mmCIF file of all heavy atoms in Angstrom:
data_model
loop_
_atom_site.group_PDB
_atom_site.id
_atom_site.type_symbol
_atom_site.label_atom_id
_atom_site.label_comp_id
_atom_site.label_asym_id
_atom_site.label_seq_id
_atom_site.Cartn_x
_atom_site.Cartn_y
_atom_site.Cartn_z
ATOM 1 N N SER J 222 0.810 -1.192 0.008
ATOM 2 C CA SER J 222 -0.043 0.008 0.023
ATOM 3 C C SER J 222 0.889 1.249 -0.003
ATOM 4 O O SER J 222 0.606 2.184 -0.726
ATOM 5 C CB SER J 222 -0.883 0.030 1.180
ATOM 6 O OG SER J 222 -1.594 -1.233 1.390
ATOM 7 N N LEU J 223 1.873 1.250 0.826
ATOM 8 C CA LEU J 223 2.807 2.407 0.924
ATOM 9 C C LEU J 223 3.453 2.656 -0.455
ATOM 10 O O LEU J 223 3.589 3.789 -0.857
ATOM 11 C CB LEU J 223 3.849 2.159 2.016
ATOM 12 C CG LEU J 223 3.423 2.383 3.416
ATOM 13 C CD1 LEU J 223 4.571 2.028 4.387
ATOM 14 C CD2 LEU J 223 3.082 3.875 3.715
ATOM 15 N N ASN J 224 3.911 1.554 -1.012
ATOM 16 C CA ASN J 224 4.650 1.759 -2.300
ATOM 17 C C ASN J 224 3.720 2.209 -3.387
ATOM 18 O O ASN J 224 4.137 3.006 -4.273
ATOM 19 C CB ASN J 224 5.369 0.427 -2.652
ATOM 20 C CG ASN J 224 6.641 0.299 -1.882
ATOM 21 O OD1 ASN J 224 7.694 0.820 -2.300
ATOM 22 N ND2 ASN J 224 6.601 -0.371 -0.726
ATOM 23 N N ARG J 225 2.451 1.742 -3.397
ATOM 24 C CA ARG J 225 1.493 2.247 -4.367
ATOM 25 C C ARG J 225 1.300 3.784 -4.154
ATOM 26 O O ARG J 225 1.198 4.533 -5.143
ATOM 27 C CB ARG J 225 0.194 1.533 -4.278
ATOM 28 C CG ARG J 225 0.192 0.130 -4.916
ATOM 29 C CD ARG J 225 -1.231 -0.489 -4.988
ATOM 30 N NE ARG J 225 -1.670 -0.919 -3.637
ATOM 31 C CZ ARG J 225 -1.602 -2.193 -3.216
ATOM 32 N NH1 ARG J 225 -1.063 -3.112 -3.995
ATOM 33 N NH2 ARG J 225 -2.049 -2.491 -2.003
ATOM 34 N N MET J 226 1.148 4.168 -2.899
ATOM 35 C CA MET J 226 0.911 5.627 -2.589
ATOM 36 C C MET J 226 2.106 6.450 -2.984
ATOM 37 O O MET J 226 1.929 7.532 -3.612
ATOM 38 C CB MET J 226 0.596 5.779 -1.089
ATOM 39 C CG MET J 226 0.042 7.175 -0.727
ATOM 40 S SD MET J 226 0.451 7.621 0.918
ATOM 41 C CE MET J 226 2.214 7.899 0.814
ATOM 42 N N TYR J 227 3.326 6.042 -2.567
ATOM 43 C CA TYR J 227 4.479 6.824 -2.872
ATOM 44 C C TYR J 227 4.632 6.997 -4.377
ATOM 45 O O TYR J 227 4.937 8.073 -4.923
ATOM 46 C CB TYR J 227 5.730 6.147 -2.376
ATOM 47 C CG TYR J 227 6.006 6.318 -0.860
ATOM 48 C CD1 TYR J 227 6.372 5.179 -0.099
ATOM 49 C CD2 TYR J 227 5.959 7.536 -0.255
ATOM 50 C CE1 TYR J 227 6.597 5.342 1.259
ATOM 51 C CE2 TYR J 227 6.192 7.726 1.093
ATOM 52 C CZ TYR J 227 6.544 6.596 1.862
ATOM 53 O OH TYR J 227 6.806 6.738 3.197
ATOM 54 N N ALA J 228 4.424 5.878 -5.117
ATOM 55 C CA ALA J 228 4.626 5.888 -6.579
ATOM 56 C C ALA J 228 3.599 6.763 -7.257
ATOM 57 O O ALA J 228 3.950 7.513 -8.210
ATOM 58 C CB ALA J 228 4.572 4.484 -7.144
ATOM 59 N N ASN J 229 2.368 6.787 -6.752
ATOM 60 C CA ASN J 229 1.327 7.625 -7.325
ATOM 61 C C ASN J 229 1.625 9.080 -7.055
ATOM 62 O O ASN J 229 1.350 9.985 -7.891
ATOM 63 C CB ASN J 229 -0.055 7.256 -6.758
ATOM 64 C CG ASN J 229 -0.740 6.159 -7.556
ATOM 65 O OD1 ASN J 229 -1.602 6.428 -8.415
ATOM 66 N ND2 ASN J 229 -0.351 4.890 -7.354
ATOM 67 N N ALA J 230 2.126 9.412 -5.880
ATOM 68 C CA ALA J 230 2.470 10.790 -5.598
ATOM 69 C C ALA J 230 3.652 11.281 -6.422
ATOM 70 O O ALA J 230 3.624 12.446 -6.809
ATOM 71 C CB ALA J 230 2.827 10.879 -4.069
ATOM 72 N N ILE J 231 4.557 10.450 -6.722
ATOM 73 C CA ILE J 231 5.748 10.838 -7.473
ATOM 74 C C ILE J 231 5.459 10.907 -9.001
ATOM 75 O O ILE J 231 5.903 11.800 -9.723
ATOM 76 C CB ILE J 231 6.920 9.901 -7.221
ATOM 77 C CG1 ILE J 231 7.356 10.028 -5.757
ATOM 78 C CG2 ILE J 231 8.070 10.121 -8.115
ATOM 79 C CD1 ILE J 231 8.127 8.853 -5.240
ATOM 80 N N LEU J 232 4.703 9.910 -9.503
ATOM 81 C CA LEU J 232 4.353 9.857 -10.925
ATOM 82 C C LEU J 232 2.819 9.873 -11.019
ATOM 83 O O LEU J 232 2.151 8.937 -11.195
ATOM 84 C CB LEU J 232 4.867 8.545 -11.549
ATOM 85 C CG LEU J 232 6.378 8.389 -11.573
ATOM 86 C CD1 LEU J 232 6.699 7.002 -12.108
ATOM 87 C CD2 LEU J 232 7.025 9.464 -12.428
ATOM 88 N N PRO J 233 2.274 11.146 -10.967
ATOM 89 C CA PRO J 233 0.824 11.249 -10.997
ATOM 90 C C PRO J 233 0.182 10.786 -12.292
ATOM 91 O O PRO J 233 -1.004 10.416 -12.340
ATOM 92 C CB PRO J 233 0.530 12.755 -10.759
ATOM 93 C CG PRO J 233 1.804 13.441 -11.034
ATOM 94 C CD PRO J 233 2.889 12.420 -10.772
ATOM 95 N N GLU J 234 0.958 10.812 -13.386
ATOM 96 C CA GLU J 234 0.402 10.299 -14.694
ATOM 97 C C GLU J 234 1.065 8.913 -14.891
ATOM 98 O O GLU J 234 2.246 8.819 -15.194
ATOM 99 C CB GLU J 234 0.716 11.298 -15.833
ATOM 100 C CG GLU J 234 -0.060 12.563 -15.728
ATOM 101 C CD GLU J 234 -0.262 13.198 -17.087
ATOM 102 O OE1 GLU J 234 -0.185 12.535 -18.078
ATOM 103 O OE2 GLU J 234 -0.483 14.461 -17.056
ATOM 104 N N GLY J 235 0.252 7.936 -14.857
ATOM 105 C CA GLY J 235 0.786 6.528 -15.030
ATOM 106 C C GLY J 235 -0.207 5.484 -14.695
ATOM 107 O O GLY J 235 -1.404 5.756 -14.556
ATOM 108 N N SER J 236 0.270 4.203 -14.585
ATOM 109 C CA SER J 236 -0.589 3.099 -14.373
ATOM 110 C C SER J 236 0.012 2.232 -13.240
ATOM 111 O O SER J 236 1.236 2.086 -13.145
ATOM 112 C CB SER J 236 -0.747 2.218 -15.581
ATOM 113 O OG SER J 236 -1.306 3.025 -16.655
ATOM 114 N N ASP J 237 -0.866 1.706 -12.427
ATOM 115 C CA ASP J 237 -0.472 0.830 -11.264
ATOM 116 C C ASP J 237 -0.667 -0.635 -11.687
ATOM 117 O O ASP J 237 -1.689 -0.993 -12.311
ATOM 118 C CB ASP J 237 -1.310 1.106 -10.027
ATOM 119 C CG ASP J 237 -0.992 2.381 -9.450
ATOM 120 O OD1 ASP J 237 0.170 2.721 -9.224
ATOM 121 O OD2 ASP J 237 -1.982 3.221 -9.150
ATOM 122 N N TYR J 238 0.282 -1.447 -11.179
ATOM 123 C CA TYR J 238 0.145 -2.924 -11.369
ATOM 124 C C TYR J 238 0.621 -3.640 -10.047
ATOM 125 O O TYR J 238 1.669 -3.271 -9.549
ATOM 126 C CB TYR J 238 1.039 -3.362 -12.576
ATOM 127 C CG TYR J 238 0.664 -2.729 -13.886
ATOM 128 C CD1 TYR J 238 1.287 -1.566 -14.257
ATOM 129 C CD2 TYR J 238 -0.234 -3.344 -14.712
ATOM 130 C CE1 TYR J 238 0.961 -0.956 -15.456
ATOM 131 C CE2 TYR J 238 -0.584 -2.728 -15.901
ATOM 132 C CZ TYR J 238 0.015 -1.538 -16.277
ATOM 133 O OH TYR J 238 -0.278 -0.995 -17.492
ATOM 134 N N THR J 239 -0.185 -4.582 -9.609
ATOM 135 C CA THR J 239 0.233 -5.345 -8.503
ATOM 136 C C THR J 239 0.159 -6.879 -8.885
ATOM 137 O O THR J 239 -0.858 -7.289 -9.441
ATOM 138 C CB THR J 239 -0.664 -5.124 -7.235
ATOM 139 O OG1 THR J 239 -0.639 -3.752 -6.955
ATOM 140 C CG2 THR J 239 -0.217 -5.982 -6.088
ATOM 141 N N PHE J 240 1.238 -7.572 -8.703
ATOM 142 C CA PHE J 240 1.312 -9.013 -8.988
ATOM 143 C C PHE J 240 1.602 -9.719 -7.692
ATOM 144 O O PHE J 240 2.501 -9.301 -6.932
ATOM 145 C CB PHE J 240 2.376 -9.347 -9.994
ATOM 146 C CG PHE J 240 2.122 -8.799 -11.372
ATOM 147 C CD1 PHE J 240 2.506 -7.540 -11.702
ATOM 148 C CD2 PHE J 240 1.447 -9.593 -12.317
ATOM 149 C CE1 PHE J 240 2.229 -7.071 -13.020
ATOM 150 C CE2 PHE J 240 1.221 -9.163 -13.636
ATOM 151 C CZ PHE J 240 1.632 -7.889 -13.956
ATOM 152 N N TRP J 241 0.843 -10.777 -7.366
ATOM 153 C CA TRP J 241 1.079 -11.570 -6.144
ATOM 154 C C TRP J 241 1.667 -12.908 -6.560
ATOM 155 O O TRP J 241 1.230 -13.584 -7.487
ATOM 156 C CB TRP J 241 -0.186 -11.771 -5.353
ATOM 157 C CG TRP J 241 -0.765 -10.522 -4.894
ATOM 158 C CD1 TRP J 241 -0.474 -9.791 -3.754
ATOM 159 C CD2 TRP J 241 -1.868 -9.798 -5.477
ATOM 160 N NE1 TRP J 241 -1.238 -8.669 -3.652
ATOM 161 C CE2 TRP J 241 -2.084 -8.619 -4.710
ATOM 162 C CE3 TRP J 241 -2.645 -9.944 -6.639
ATOM 163 C CZ2 TRP J 241 -3.068 -7.697 -4.971
ATOM 164 C CZ3 TRP J 241 -3.640 -9.057 -6.942
ATOM 165 C CH2 TRP J 241 -3.833 -7.904 -6.127
ATOM 166 N N GLY J 242 2.666 -13.396 -5.751
ATOM 167 C CA GLY J 242 3.218 -14.707 -5.946
ATOM 168 C C GLY J 242 4.634 -14.601 -6.543
ATOM 169 O O GLY J 242 5.163 -13.536 -6.781
ATOM 170 N N LYS J 243 5.197 -15.811 -6.843
ATOM 171 C CA LYS J 243 4.603 -17.127 -6.562
ATOM 172 C C LYS J 243 4.458 -17.336 -5.098
ATOM 173 O O LYS J 243 5.448 -17.213 -4.327
ATOM 174 C CB LYS J 243 5.447 -18.201 -7.231
ATOM 175 C CG LYS J 243 4.894 -19.610 -7.017
ATOM 176 C CD LYS J 243 5.757 -20.657 -7.697
ATOM 177 C CE LYS J 243 5.122 -22.018 -7.467
ATOM 178 N NZ LYS J 243 5.970 -23.076 -8.146
ATOM 179 N N GLY J 244 3.325 -17.769 -4.625
ATOM 180 C CA GLY J 244 3.161 -18.025 -3.241
ATOM 181 C C GLY J 244 1.893 -18.779 -2.877
ATOM 182 O O GLY J 244 0.940 -18.861 -3.733
ATOM 183 N N VAL J 245 1.808 -19.282 -1.663
ATOM 184 C CA VAL J 245 0.663 -19.989 -1.228
ATOM 185 C C VAL J 245 -0.417 -19.056 -0.850
ATOM 186 O O VAL J 245 -0.194 -18.135 -0.028
ATOM 187 C CB VAL J 245 1.034 -20.888 -0.007
ATOM 188 C CG1 VAL J 245 -0.240 -21.528 0.593
ATOM 189 C CG2 VAL J 245 2.002 -21.941 -0.421
ATOM 190 N N SER J 246 -1.631 -19.188 -1.367
ATOM 191 C CA SER J 246 -2.787 -18.462 -0.944
ATOM 192 C C SER J 246 -3.498 -19.273 0.082
ATOM 193 O O SER J 246 -4.076 -20.338 -0.217
ATOM 194 C CB SER J 246 -3.731 -18.139 -2.108
ATOM 195 O OG SER J 246 -4.920 -17.592 -1.635
#
């Protein structure tokens, strides 16, 4: 969450991507 927020504040024009894994859900 923090990294999404920092990145959005620094680069207001752009796209977010979150990938999870490889890992056990």
Side-chain angles (χ1 to χ4, degrees):
S222 312
L223 281 174
N224 280 275
R225 283 189 286 263
M226 190 209 71
Y227 281 134
N229 272 261
I231 293 163
L232 296 175
E234 291 205 23
S236 300
D237 291 310
Y238 300 90
T239 302
F240 293 88
W241 297 279
K243 179 179 180 180
V245 173
S246 171

